[in-house]
Amino acid sequence: MATFLHRVAHWAFRRRRTVVLVWVAVLAAVFLGAVNSSEAPEDSASLPGIESQQAFDLLDERFPGTEADGAEARVVFVAADGQQVTSTANRSAVDTLVDEVADGPQVAGATSPFDAHAVSEDASTAYATITYRTTADDLTEASKEALAEAVERARDAGLTVEVGGSALETEPAQGIGEVLGILVAAVVLLITFGSLAAAGLPLLTAVLGVGISLATITALGSTLGFSSTVGELAMMLGLAVGIDYSLFVVSRYREERAKGHQAQEAAALAVGTAGSAVVFAGLTVVIALLGLSVVGVPTLTKMGVGSAGTVLVGVLIALTAVPALLGFWPDAVLPRRDREGPRRTRGRRPGRFGRNRNSSGNSNGKGTTPAGTARTPWGVRWARFVTRRPVAVLLLTVVGLGALAVPSLNLRMGMPGAESKPTTTTERRAYDALADGFGPGFNGPLTVVVDVKGADDPAAAVTGVSDRLAGTGGIVSVSPPHFNAAKDTAVVSVVPSTGPASERTQDLVRTIRDERPAIESATGAEYQVTGTTALNIDVGRKMQDALVPYLAVVVGLAFLLLMVVFRSILVPVKAALGFLLSVGAALGAIVTVFQEGHGAAFFGVEETGPIMSTMPVFLVGIVFGLAMDYQVFLVSRIREAHIHGEQPGQAVVTGFRHSAQVVGAAALIMMAVFGGFMTGGESMVKTVGFGLASAVFFDAFVVRMAFVPAVLALLGKRAWWLPGRLDRLLPRVDVEGEALTRRAPVPNNASGDDDRRESVTV
């Protein structure tokens, strides 16, 4: 692997104009394809294998011409203090609104609250239901404006009018996530490298990769069903991994130049070594993302495929475009001291990143350098601290992350609805008004689809089902049945006594389904439970059931890959255990903030509740891939030092000396990119951004910087043990670049053993 990538980088450096032109041509081609492509489809709500989806499909079949997921507006009227909506003036304003909207475009029906008995007991609140013949995404601006204008006229009449449902759903406030992430990344890179060019190159290549990926996803949107959500995830991941992968290569290039290599050879060595780590780190991310297909949710599968393609583009750019750009400006990414020419450094041995040491090259052997030389890097000092106290550090790490993970045991999954929106939105105000006027369960009614195709008396069968449901504890009311034209299917609406996010509502849905055999036997009718509330419950259960198989597939494949990379059994086991610690802590933090509400106000979360159903699987997949980035890059440097003759403890120190600062910078960049998405107004986006940022923090700064070196120090040489038969069977990929070291020795012995033992500034 290292030798092949070495040749690729040599070619890219020599043919730099060709490489850059090819990437620009690819960007132009996919951009043209995106411009001429059809509009991206909406996110599919289809979830095979769950009862709610089967009921939706039955509704589409038995009620032709209407869509089960058609747009709906629930217009809520609240009378002023001391008044009633049934007063003459208020009733006139409500009827006027209903009549105006009923004649609007795309409207299937408009039901007055006075005809549907949709008035609260104290007559302070009422609601009208407006249904449309199409989905919310297909509603025209004319339809939305007609409803909005009618609402404003009703408000002018003195009523408080709010609109819930999907028809006028408020777009979440757009944050500055991408811009903030790039700005923070630029600052981190500038501090890390001390060079504008070195900081700018990873940003440039990351933006190039994201541009190509987003344009490709848009161009293939109508063909492969990629929605806008796929592009948003791809952009978030593309920025993070694109910057990181280029950062790894540029960092190694500076290191090789500091050892005395010429620019072309330094670029080739950087890609052959750090590039090998990038390849395998990228493969683990791709495995994790493609593994989302195991869950069985089409939307997640498409998100995984689109994001995996973005990661592959980032890897290819790091291996080809980065050495090509280094060929145009070979010295620009170096520290200023090295760019000033050889005269300033003649007679002095270059240290890492060009910071010179005492010309004698001596070290006192205690982690400090002679007077007048640079201070010991923080990564070296920290690694020595951990290797001297591995048991204490390991116990503290495991106990600390374990304590943070405890709240995840109370994880409740669901899909946040209007209750999670800010109170500045009309949907949230409509939700609160309905809860006050009709009870909390009114915002989450259950839809029961009754199939009486095989019943002798369809009307009596439906009545029997309704009566049995009405007698179930936890149900407030059951609406009159609504039959289809063939009279073989009816729909009834069941209002629970508790809110849609309540655990008691989940228990109620389970109870209704458990009673089904007895009810069907007594009435001769079959029924299924659906609606938004039931759908969210079913999705949560499906995600929970899929989590363990998904973990098994992803961790199993990644274990095999890491075993090939590190030629060890215990190192991949350690990587998997560390990942579980970081993910558990991240899930615990999510539950603490977004479910239990501790510190929620600090993050702008106005209402807490269940965690988005897809979040745990989503978090596991993405964080596993990103965690392996740091695992491969950090541990490959430790193994590189070990196979070059260093003792296990010293190899850990050397690996940290070469990679701690880069891994820390990469983690900060990822945290900035993910955390930037918390600036948006959507609660679900905040949850995703917070979860990913906290997981990266725990994994990079706790697991990789403390857990990993402590375990390696305790295992010693046993960490690199591999049974002889397995050693012969596994392919050798040489991710450490051992073959390159033999072929291209460091000029003037600049990386001899004494150099490994010295403490230099990173």
Side-chain angles (χ1 to χ4, degrees), residues 209-210 213-214 217 228-241 303 306-311:
V210 168
S213 301
L214 287 181
I217 289 171
S228 59
T229 305
V230 176
E232 291 172 4
L233 176 60
M235 177 173 59
M236 183 166 59
L237 281 179
L239 282 175
V241 302
M303 291 169 67
S307 300
T310 303
V311 172

Side-chain angles (χ1 to χ4, degrees), residues 350-641:
R352 190 176 176 220
F353 291 172
R355 291 174 182 172
N356 297 293
R357 292 178 294 225
N358 184 286
S359 60
S360 65
N362 293 328
S363 171
N364 62 15
K366 296 181 180 179
T368 59
T369 54
T373 59
R375 216 160 46 95
T376 304
W378 67 265
V380 172
R381 297 196 302 273
W382 173 251
R384 285 175 177 157
F385 172 83
V386 174
T387 53
R388 288 177 189 142
R389 305 167 182 82
V391 175
V393 172
L394 182 61
L395 288 176
L396 184 62
T397 301
V398 173
V399 171
L401 291 178
L404 289 172
V406 168
S408 65
L409 298 176
N410 299 321
L411 173 69
R412 290 193 298 112
M413 292 191 290
M415 293 297 291
E419 76 279 2
S420 65
K421 291 181 177 292
T423 53
T424 55
T425 62
T426 186
E427 298 100 311
R428 171 61 186 277
R429 293 194 296 269
Y431 179 96
D432 292 340
L434 287 172
D436 292 339
F438 297 91
F442 200 80
N443 284 295
L446 306 174
T447 301
V448 179
V449 184
V450 186
D451 184 356
V452 291
K453 205 167 189 178
D456 296 333
D457 186 347
V462 173
T463 300
V465 171
S466 297
D467 292 342
R468 295 288 291 269
L469 291 175
T472 303
I475 292 180
V476 174
S477 64
V478 178
S479 71
H482 170 60
F483 280 90
N484 64 343
K487 302 297 182 182
D488 60 3
T489 308
V491 177
V492 295
S493 181
V494 176
V495 178
S497 60
T498 51
S502 170
E503 290 186 73
R504 292 173 58 187
T505 304
Q506 296 184 27
D507 295 337
L508 175 63
V509 172
R510 191 178 300 110
T511 298
I512 294 174
R513 288 171 173 171
D514 290 343
E515 292 176 349
R516 179 162 38 206
I519 296 177
E520 290 180 347
S521 176
T523 62
E526 300 177 356
Y527 70 83
Q528 293 175 318
V529 183
T530 186
T532 302
T533 300
L535 178 65
N536 292 341
I537 294 171
D538 290 347
V539 172
R541 187 174 295 117
K542 184 179 180 67
M543 295 298 104
Q544 190 170 357
D545 293 342
L547 187 58
V548 173
Y550 175 63
L551 268 175
V553 170
V554 172
V555 174
L557 291 175
F559 178 88
L560 294 175
L561 185 63
L562 292 176
M563 190 164 58
V564 171
V565 172
F566 297 119
R567 310 200 67 76
S568 165
I569 290 180
L570 296 180
V571 169
V573 170
K574 177 260 311 165
L577 292 176
F579 157 74
L580 293 176
L581 284 173
S582 59
V583 166
L587 282 175
I590 291 172
V591 171
T592 299
V593 175
F594 292 90
Q595 181 175 305
E596 298 178 353
H598 303 296
F602 178 79
F603 297 102
V605 178
E606 297 185 12
E607 187 74 20
T608 59
I611 305 303
M612 183 173 60
S613 298
T614 55
M615 182 63 191
V617 172
F618 182 79
L619 183 74
V620 166
I622 294 181
V623 173
F624 185 84
L626 298 181
M628 292 306 105
D629 278 3
Y630 309 126
Q631 168 73 15
V632 172
F633 191 73
L634 178 63
V635 180
S636 65
R637 293 308 298 263
I638 296 174
R639 175 172 165 78
E640 179 180 344

